[in-house]
Amino acid sequence: MRDYIRRFLIAGIIALCVSLLFLGGKHPSAQTISESKGTSQWIWPADGEISDIFGTRKGMHKGIDIAADLGTPVYTVDGGIVTRSYYSDTYGNVIFIKHQNNFETVYAHLKTRKVAEGQTVRQGEFIGEMGNTGDSSGVHLHFEVHRHEWTYGKENAVNPEMAFGTSKIGQAVAAQERGNSLASLETSGSITEEKAHKKPLDKESSNNGQAISHIVRNGETLWSIARQYDSSVEAIKQKNKLKNNFIRINQTLVVPS
C-alpha cells in the first residue's frame, strides 16, 4: 500500500514539474517588448495599402504585403548593410538588409533594385521600386522581418506588427509616418529628390469647400499625396477625372481636403 502511495506521489510531482516547465516557457510578450525597443523608430518601407498580413495562407505567409502603383519607391525601414541583392524565381528582384539590432529585413517582388550587396544604407534610403516580379500575382511589396537572419525555412520570421503595430488589410500606410530620419536627411541636404515631401500649398475654392493644388514630384504616388493632405485616392481621382492610379512628374492635381 505504501509503495502504491509513493508511486502516486512521484507521478504527481513529475506531472507538476512538466506543467511548470511549459508555463514558464510561455512568455512571448517579454520577448516582443524587447524586440520592439530596437524597432520603435522603423518607418514603413513604402506608401500604399496593406493587401495581406502575416500568418495568412494557413500560416505560410511570413510577411506583410503593401500594394501600390508600379514603380512606387521602396525605402529601408532602418539603416544597415545589404546582405543580398539579386533575382529569385520566387521573390523576384529582392533585397536583404541586416540591421544593427540583429534583425534582417526582406524587400521582394521589386521592379528594380538600386543597391548592391555589401552596400551600407541609411534609414529611409531609396533602394528599389515596387514591382510584380517572381511568384507574384500583382504589383506589391512583400516585406519580411527575421530575427538574426533569413533562412530557407523562415523559422526566424517574426510578425512586422511588432515594429509597426497592429495592421489590417485595406489599411493605408505611408513611408514617412514612423521615425524622424527622412526629415533629418532632408534638413541635412542629403535627401534625394525621390524623398522630397513638403511643397508650398496653393488653395483654391471649390464646390466642396477647400481644395489644394499640388504639383507631383518624383517618387510620389496617389497614396502618398492623399495621406499628406488627409484625403483619399478615390477623391483625388474623381476630382481630377483620373481613370487609373498613374500620375506623372510635374502634373498638377487638385486635392480635396
Side-chain angles (χ1 to χ4, degrees), residues 30-48:
Q31 187 177 51
T32 301
I33 291 172
S34 177
E35 289 175 346
S36 65
K37 288 181 180 179
T39 62
S40 60
Q41 293 301 312
W42 280 15
I43 62 170
W44 285 99
D47 297 334

Side-chain angles (χ1 to χ4, degrees), residues 42-44 47 164 171-180 182 227:
W42 280 15
I43 62 170
W44 285 99
D47 297 334
F164 302 120
Q171 175 184 337
V173 299
Q176 57 269 45
E177 271 190 351
R178 297 291 299 274
N180 298 316
L182 293 179
R227 196 72 174 175

Side-chain angles (χ1 to χ4, degrees), residues 78-99:
D78 198 6
I81 297 176
V82 178
T83 52
R84 305 183 196 184
S85 178
Y86 68 106
Y87 185 88
S88 160
D89 290 338
T90 53
Y91 278 140
N93 281 312
V94 60
I95 296 169
F96 295 69
I97 297 177
K98 186 64 178 289
H99 306 284

Side-chain angles (χ1 to χ4, degrees), residues 137-159:
S137 58
V139 177
H140 71 284
L141 169 69
H142 175 73
F143 174 76
E144 295 179 2
V145 181
H146 297 265
R147 188 184 300 111
H148 304 305
E149 63 180 358
W150 178 91
T151 63
Y152 184 79
K154 299 186 180 182
E155 58 267 21
N156 294 333
V158 295
N159 193 335

Side-chain angles (χ1 to χ4, degrees), residues 154-222:
K154 299 186 180 182
E155 58 267 21
N156 294 333
V158 295
N159 193 335
E161 287 186 353
M162 63 92 183
F164 302 120
T166 303
S167 305
K168 61 181 180 179
I169 295 176
Q171 175 184 337
V173 299
Q176 57 269 45
E177 271 190 351
R178 297 291 299 274
N180 298 316
S181 293
L182 293 179
S184 62
L185 284 173
E186 190 170 14
T187 301
S188 67
S190 60
I191 192 168
T192 62
E193 187 179 5
E194 286 86 352
K195 305 184 190 71
H197 300 301
K198 300 297 182 181
K199 278 77 61 179
L201 309 181
D202 294 324
K203 292 187 178 180
E204 60 178 28
S205 60
S206 69
N207 294 332
N208 296 325
Q210 292 274 322
I212 298 169
S213 180
H214 179 94
I215 299 176
V216 178
R217 299 293 296 274
N218 190 14
E220 288 187 320
T221 68
L222 284 179

